[in-house]
Amino acid sequence: MKIIGLLILAVFYAVYISKMIVQKRKGIQTDQIAKGKQKTKVFYIELVMKIATYSVVVAEVLSLFLAPLYLPQTLVVVGVVLGFIGDILFTVSVVTMKDSWRAGIAENDKTEIITSGIYSISRNPAFLAFDCVYIGLLLIAFNWVLLVLSVFAMTMLHLQILQEETFLSKTFGAEYNIYKNKVRRYLGRK
């Protein structure tokens, strides 16, 4: 399971880093998390989210190698499936978002609202992908520290979503609000 868990993480972060490199070559700063912002609530939520998401990756890797508490095989298989679903969701999300994809709130960037493709059934498929990978790795290499860090990271990602919804509503107005009333935050149409 170690190799499968590492593969799930490698695919996920290869997509993340590749997207950042491609956008950097186009002059786009992808990572906007807690950068260039005044010390507001948004800044602090993004900063804590960044720390939480980095910490959980370290915990996931360590958990794969340091004697995890093995769960029933069925749960481990569910974890593998969720992890790979997360990889697929994340890949489709960043590809569909094209050059409008950012990590964090890009207050000064001109981006487009994306409502097609995977975004027609989830307003936040990339965040859903993070959650799938976190839960998947938790089931593959369960331990209590990883559980706490994963729940904390998912909570911080949810708070980030709430911040982004406020920003998108202000930026795109009625267009975003109509979209928000049609598509659920995580998965499904209303």
Side-chain angles (χ1 to χ4, degrees):
M1 281 300 131
K2 290 176 189 175
I3 292 174
I4 293 173
L6 290 173
L7 179 63
I8 290 167
L9 287 172
V11 168
F12 191 88
Y13 289 102
V15 170
Y16 190 98
I17 292 167
S18 296
K19 183 67 171 189
M20 288 178 73
I21 291 168
V22 167
Q23 286 188 306
K24 185 175 184 173
R25 289 182 180 156
K26 294 179 178 183
I28 299 168
Q29 181 183 349
T30 305
D31 183 0
Q32 301 277 333
I33 302 171
K35 291 186 178 177
K37 296 175 177 67
Q38 293 187 17
K39 306 301 187 254
T40 63
K41 180 180 175 185
V42 171
F43 172 85
Y44 289 109
I45 286 175
E46 286 188 353
L47 181 62
V48 174
M49 179 197 65
K50 191 174 214 174
I51 293 166
T53 56
Y54 284 17
S55 298
V56 81
V57 173
V58 172
E60 287 167 339
V61 171
L62 290 175
S63 295
L64 288 167
F65 288 99
L66 300 176
L69 303 173
Y70 291 101
L71 297 177
Q73 193 64 27
T74 306
L75 289 178
V76 174
V77 170
V78 168
V80 169
V81 170
L82 275 175
F84 283 119
I85 287 172
D87 285 349
I88 293 166
L89 273 174
F90 191 71
T91 302
V92 171
S93 299
V94 298
V95 168
T96 303
M97 192 63 108
K98 300 175 188 152
D99 284 335
S100 290
W101 184 67
R102 301 292 187 279
I105 295 174
E107 295 170 340
N108 300 317
D109 287 7
K110 176 77 172 126
T111 58
E112 296 177 36
I113 186 171
I114 307 295
T115 60
S116 61
I118 192 138
Y119 290 88
S120 67
I121 59 169
S122 173
R123 291 197 320 261
N124 297 285
F127 286 109
L128 180 59
F130 269 96
D131 290 350
C132 287
V133 168
Y134 289 163
I135 294 167
L137 267 289
L138 182 62
L139 294 174
I140 292 169
F142 183 85
N143 66 62
W144 295 106
V145 172
L146 183 57
L147 172 65
V148 169
L149 286 173
S150 296
V151 169
F152 180 61
M154 290 187 296
T155 301
M156 293 312 302
L157 289 172
H158 181 75
L159 292 176
Q160 177 66 18
I161 288 170
L162 299 178
Q163 298 290 350
E164 287 185 8
E165 287 178 349
T166 300
F167 171 77
L168 292 169
S169 187
K170 287 178 187 172
T171 303
F172 295 108
E175 183 181 9
Y176 178 74
N177 292 328
I178 290 167
Y179 169 65
K180 186 175 162 181
N181 288 328
K182 290 181 183 177
V183 179
R184 294 187 187 284
R185 181 176 287 142
Y186 286 102
L187 188 61
R189 293 185 63 82
K190 295 180 183 179

